[in-house]
């Protein structure tokens, strides 16, 4: 187990082409101020990415905050067909092994991957392949290897190269399908971590938390067009689960800081989008970053902090799930019917109060008495309306969230299908 609990965020270096050191500084300080201890830097084979990674390490050193970095080698992009392909790993460890901001595990350089189960470096099986990688790297410096291989966890005892595992898919209910019963679709279980932990035998376990998932690429690009159910306050429910089982988890990795293409970013929209502007522009997610501080602190400290400010967080899609898009060349995303036409509300209340939820002025308001603490609520989306939440205490308005003032309304006839979330919060 790690000496202390950590919360890190997955950062797509491929979306940082125009980044300067100042951009990295801004992101590092922003992340750190919301309880995030570091970035897992996902990168592939492009040469320019090495310069951005170097800028990130330089910025972390200059940031004045204790922010850690480690590589998440994207093995869907990095060549690994022969033994010589280990050189990119060697170059990284050689360059950053002694950097003050490189994450270490008991003095060992912490490295991770996205995928890698099919990358054999000229060897005949997975264990021999990554034993070769690890032994080669340890001629440079000791390493702590925590990959995200997409394999049966029952194989872990036989993969001695692994010092731990990152359960990338643990935050989404991947088991849902069109035939899933309604009682399973609503509040679906997120229980895959136990299987991984059982087979790791005490090795490092890194869990995932993610607020959303929607991607809408056609066959002329990445050919990815699906959603994963993000309803039922997914981000909050998953955090609550991880905090409850924190004794078995070393690190939580947030997916993601800036993966715009899959709509689960919690950081600001900046850098170079991967042709995702149609569903990302105008859809901020930073209120999820603000939520992160409360839960990250609870995971690391072992207890929830007292609520010190009345706050409302709220999010929703921009149109009903069965709305027809007027100009989209792609169909609705796969699994579209697994989502519900509701907007999701999380209330942070310093004391008991009354919450009022509405979508239109003509609608009968939904009123709910809430206790002090955190309360999860939802209400129906109404085409042409918006989402509105108010918290009253002794008939005095304590907090209000009204994204209609910023122009957000539920579309009746969207131009393109957009199952991304518009995320907002009270001031």
């Amino acid at each position: 187990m790690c000496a202390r609990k950590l919360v890190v965020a997955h950062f797509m270096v491929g979306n940082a082409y125009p980044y300067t050191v100042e951009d990295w500084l801004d992101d590092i300080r922003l992340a750190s101020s919301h309880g995030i201890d570091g970035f897992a830097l996902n990168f592939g084979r492009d040469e320019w990415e090495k310069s951005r990674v170097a800028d990130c390490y330089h910025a972390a050193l200059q940031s004045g905050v204790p922010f850690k970095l480690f590589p998440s080698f994207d093995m869907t992009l990095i060549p690994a067909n022969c033994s010589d392909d280990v050189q990119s790993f060697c170059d990284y460890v050689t360059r950053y092994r002694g950097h003050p901001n490189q994450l270490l595990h008991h003095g060992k350089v912490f490295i991770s991957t996205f995928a890698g189960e099919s990358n054999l470096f000229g060897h005949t099986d997975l264990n021999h392949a990554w034993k070769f990688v690890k032994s080669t790297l340890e001629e440079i410096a000791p390493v702590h290897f925590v990959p995200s291989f997409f394999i049966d966890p029952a194989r872990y005892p036989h993969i001695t190269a692994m010092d731990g595992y990152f359960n990338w898919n643990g935050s989404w209910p991947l088991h849902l399908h069109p035939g899933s019963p309604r009682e399973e679709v609503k509040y679906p279980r997120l229980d895959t971590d136990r299987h991984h932990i059982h087979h790791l035998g005490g090795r490092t376990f890194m869990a995932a938390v993610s607020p959303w998932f929607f991607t809408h690429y056609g066959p002329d690009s990445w050919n990815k067009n699906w959603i994963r159910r993000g309803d039922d306050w997914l981000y909050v429910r998953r955090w609550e689960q991880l905090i409850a089982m924190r004794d078995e988890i070393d690190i939580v990795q947030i997916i993601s800081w800036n993966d715009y293409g899959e709509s689960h970013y919690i950081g600001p929209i900046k850098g170079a989008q991967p042709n995702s502007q149609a569903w990302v522009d105008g859809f901020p997610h930073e209120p999820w970053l603000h939520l992160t501080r409360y839960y990250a602190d609870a995971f690391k400290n072992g207890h929830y902090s007292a609520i010190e400010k009345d706050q409302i967080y709220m999010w929703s899609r921009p149109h009903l799930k069965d709305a027809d898009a007027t100009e989209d060349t792609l169909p609705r995303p796969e699994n579209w019917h697994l989502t519900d036409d509701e907007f999701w509300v999380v209330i942070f209340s310093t004391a008991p109060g009354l919450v009022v939820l509405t979508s239109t002025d003509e609608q009968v308001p939904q009123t709910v008495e809430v206790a002090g603490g955190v309360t999860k609520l939802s209400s129906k989306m109404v085409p042409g309306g918006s989402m509105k939440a108010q918290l009253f205490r002794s008939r005095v308005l304590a907090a209000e969230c009204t994204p209609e003032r910023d122009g957000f309304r539920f579309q009746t006839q969207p131009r393109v299908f957009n199952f991304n979330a518009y995320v907002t919060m009270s001031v």
Side-chain angles (χ1 to χ4, degrees), residues 72-249:
S72 174
F73 294 98
D74 194 328
M75 300 311 299
T76 66
L77 301 172
I78 295 173
N81 298 314
C82 65
S83 59
D84 289 346
D85 288 333
V86 76
Q87 189 60 47
S88 61
F89 287 75
C90 294
D91 291 345
Y92 193 102
V93 172
T94 298
R95 183 164 188 176
Y96 298 112
R97 60 180 176 173
H99 196 284
N101 297 90
Q102 168 62 44
L103 178 63
L104 302 178
H105 177 88
H106 296 304
K108 298 181 179 181
V109 178
F110 192 100
I111 63 174
S112 186
T113 70
F114 175 76
E117 67 279 0
S118 300
N119 304 109
L120 301 184
F121 295 90
H123 292 262
T124 57
D125 63 76
L126 182 64
N127 188 45
H128 283 94
W130 288 96
K131 280 180 67 176
F132 159 73
V133 173
K134 188 177 178 184
S135 63
T136 303
L137 294 178
E138 292 196 321
E139 294 177 5
I140 303 168
V143 299
H144 192 73
F145 181 48
V146 183
S148 179
F149 295 151
F150 298 103
I151 59 174
D152 184 345
R155 296 177 60 186
Y156 295 167
H158 309 292
I159 305 177
T160 57
M162 287 172 39
D163 297 305
Y165 183 76
F166 172 36
N167 184 18
W168 175 275
N169 281 328
S171 189
W172 302 290
L174 300 189
H175 61 283
L176 297 182
H177 58 84
S180 295
R182 179 61 188 172
E183 58 268 23
E184 173 56 24
V185 172
K186 193 73 173 175
Y187 313 122
R189 67 184 189 276
L190 301 166
D191 58 359
T192 62
D193 293 320
R194 298 286 183 191
H195 194 35
H196 295 277
I197 292 169
H198 172 73
H199 289 287
L200 279 173
R203 287 178 280 181
T204 299
F205 182 66
M206 182 157 55
V209 61
S210 186
W212 207 253
F213 196 112
F214 164 63
T215 185
H216 196 53
Y217 292 107
D220 58 336
S221 58
W222 285 283
N223 200 24
K224 297 165 51 176
N225 183 27
W226 64 77
I227 71 163
R228 293 170 177 169
R229 182 175 170 92
D231 303 48
D232 317 302
W233 319 276
L234 175 66
Y235 196 50
V236 171
R237 283 205 309 128
R238 176 62 170 165
W239 267 119
E240 291 171 343
Q241 178 189 39
L242 297 179
I243 292 163
M245 57 185 293
R246 66 183 295 275
D247 290 346
E248 301 172 89
I249 301 169

Side-chain angles (χ1 to χ4, degrees), residues 55 173 201:
D55 287 345

Side-chain angles (χ1 to χ4, degrees), residues 14 73 113 125 147 176 187 200 217 250 266 275-276 278 368 371 378-379 395 415:
F73 294 98
T113 70
D125 63 76
L176 297 182
Y187 313 122
L200 279 173
Y217 292 107
D250 299 285
I266 65 168
N275 296 320
S276 53
V368 182
S378 66
S379 190
R395 298 185 179 182
R415 186 178 60 83

Side-chain angles (χ1 to χ4, degrees), residues 4-55:
R4 65 186 182 97
K5 308 293 184 185
L6 295 174
V7 174
V8 300
H10 197 78
F11 193 105
M12 301 292 288
V13 177
N15 292 342
Y17 182 80
Y19 262 47
T20 64
V21 171
E22 286 299 320
D23 288 314
W24 284 112
L25 272 170
D26 290 343
D27 281 9
I28 287 168
R29 287 170 176 161
L30 181 63
S32 179
S33 69
H34 289 90
I36 297 172
D37 302 302
F39 284 152
L41 298 174
N42 174 289
F43 54 87
R45 63 189 299 175
D46 290 340
E47 282 296 315
W48 65 263
E49 290 180 289
K50 296 178 182 178
S51 297
R52 297 303 171 275
V53 169
D55 287 345

Side-chain angles (χ1 to χ4, degrees), residues 283 314-320 341-345 356-364 366 378-390 400-412 422-425:
F283 285 79
M314 195 160 55
W315 58 91
S316 182
R317 302 187 320 273
H319 60 74
L320 300 185
D341 290 329
E342 298 187 43
F343 62 89
W344 306 96
V345 186
V356 179
L357 304 179
T358 55
S359 183
T360 68
D361 293 337
E362 295 77 24
Q363 181 185 15
V364 176
Q366 176 182 342
S378 66
S379 190
K380 292 294 183 183
M381 299 164 57
V382 177
S386 187
M387 46 182 172
K388 181 178 181 179
Q390 297 171 302
E400 182 179 44
C401 191
T402 54
E404 184 176 4
R405 295 174 182 172
D406 298 317
F408 177 82
R409 300 186 71 85
F410 296 120
Q411 303 163 9
T412 55
Y422 184 96
V423 189
T424 184
M425 62 184 285

